[in-house]
Amino acid sequence: MQDLNLPKKQSRIAGLLYFLSCLPAPFALLYVPGVLVVRGDAAATANNVRDSEGLLRLGMAVELFSATLVIFAVIAFYRLFKAVSHKHAMAMMILFLISVPMSYLNVLNDLAALTFARSPAFLSAVFDKPQLDAFVLFFLRLHNQGIILAQIFWGLWLFPFGIVVMRSGFIPRFVGIAAIAAGSGYVINSSFRLFLPASAQGFGDLAMILGVGELAILWLLIWGAKDQPSTHPIPAPLAT
């Protein structure tokens, strides 16, 4: 029977959890805002939210699901690599886990946008419709800024991850190199969007090309880690 503690088994579990956490994320982070938000048009955006409330709520559910599942993925990565370098495995886990409460709290911006779009009596008594619509667009844009902020940590965790992969000896070094390149892309893109927004469409978007390197983590799911030779001593032959 295969030992469940073998690196191959552990790496495939970690890779599967990470893949499952990432798979639905583009729906919540890219598709839903792309459908609902009309750039510079608060009224049209608010109408989209009112007409597609279910889509926004589904996006919120998917975002929370991804943020929850990735907790188990990063713990699995920690268990896989802690014997290689406890320091780097711990740094990897902490940096990624920092982004989780940020993702949870960021969903509140979607809830706020939905609340303003529905114009409950306690708000409509204070704000007129154009103001309510403006708040809808404001909170959806704030949600996008929250994603950019969390993306810094989605990039930072890949640096210790890449280092510990390269040191492991049981996962190809190119996986670690590609992960570090992807992490650089995420951090550079977020930095441009937060601090140099005028240049984000150029340098920031170009840096995101490096994010493709994160796909190398799929190696762990498809092929897994190399089995390590047994460390148990071979018994000496009996003297005759």
Side-chain angles (χ1 to χ4, degrees), residues 5 10 74-83 92:
N5 292 319
Q10 288 183 314
V74 76
I75 291 173
F77 281 130
Y78 170 77
R79 293 182 60 191
L80 175 64
F81 294 118
K82 65 180 180 179
M92 168 195 73

Side-chain angles (χ1 to χ4, degrees), residues 61-78:
V62 168
E63 193 168 350
L64 291 173
F65 170 80
S66 294
T68 302
L69 191 57
V70 81
I71 296 173
F72 298 97
V74 76
I75 291 173
F77 281 130
Y78 170 77

Side-chain angles (χ1 to χ4, degrees), residues 57-222:
R57 290 189 182 277
L58 181 59
M60 290 158 46
V62 168
E63 193 168 350
L64 291 173
F65 170 80
S66 294
T68 302
L69 191 57
V70 81
I71 296 173
F72 298 97
V74 76
I75 291 173
F77 281 130
Y78 170 77
R79 293 182 60 191
L80 175 64
F81 294 118
K82 65 180 180 179
V84 177
S85 173
H86 182 266
K87 176 178 67 175
H88 289 93
M90 181 64 72
M92 168 195 73
M93 183 170 66
I94 291 173
L95 286 170
F96 206 116
L97 290 180
I98 288 173
S99 72
V100 174
M102 296 171 66
S103 296
Y104 285 155
L105 291 173
N106 201 28
V107 173
L108 290 175
N109 288 312
D110 282 343
L111 282 172
L114 185 57
T115 301
F116 278 101
R118 298 176 70 182
S119 305
F122 73 92
L123 287 176
S124 58
V126 180
F127 303 106
D128 57 27
K129 187 176 183 302
Q131 290 173 322
L132 292 169
D133 292 348
F135 277 119
V136 173
L137 181 57
F138 168 76
F139 279 108
L140 290 179
R141 293 186 64 178
L142 194 60
H143 177 265
N144 183 63
Q145 294 300 309
I147 293 172
I148 294 171
L149 188 60
Q151 185 177 266
I152 293 176
F153 294 95
W154 298 343
L156 288 177
W157 86 281
L158 290 170
F159 290 95
F161 174 83
I163 292 171
V164 78
V165 164
M166 290 189 288
R167 290 184 176 183
S168 68
F170 52 76
I171 297 174
R173 289 176 62 86
F174 86 86
V175 176
I177 295 171
I180 292 174
S184 301
Y186 287 135
V187 173
I188 292 171
N189 178 267
S190 291
S191 298
F192 270 100
R193 291 189 178 278
L194 289 172
F195 309 119
L196 296 169
S199 303
Q201 294 299 321
F203 294 107
D205 291 344
L206 185 62
M208 278 304 292
I209 296 175
L210 298 173
V212 177
E214 193 175 7
L215 293 175
I217 298 178
L218 287 176
W219 177 280
L220 280 72
L221 171 61
I222 300 172

Side-chain angles (χ1 to χ4, degrees), residues 5-8 84 167-171 225-231:
N5 292 319
L6 286 175
K8 181 181 287 291
V84 177
R167 290 184 176 183
S168 68
F170 52 76
I171 297 174
K226 292 186 293 186
D227 288 325
Q228 300 298 288
S230 175
T231 56

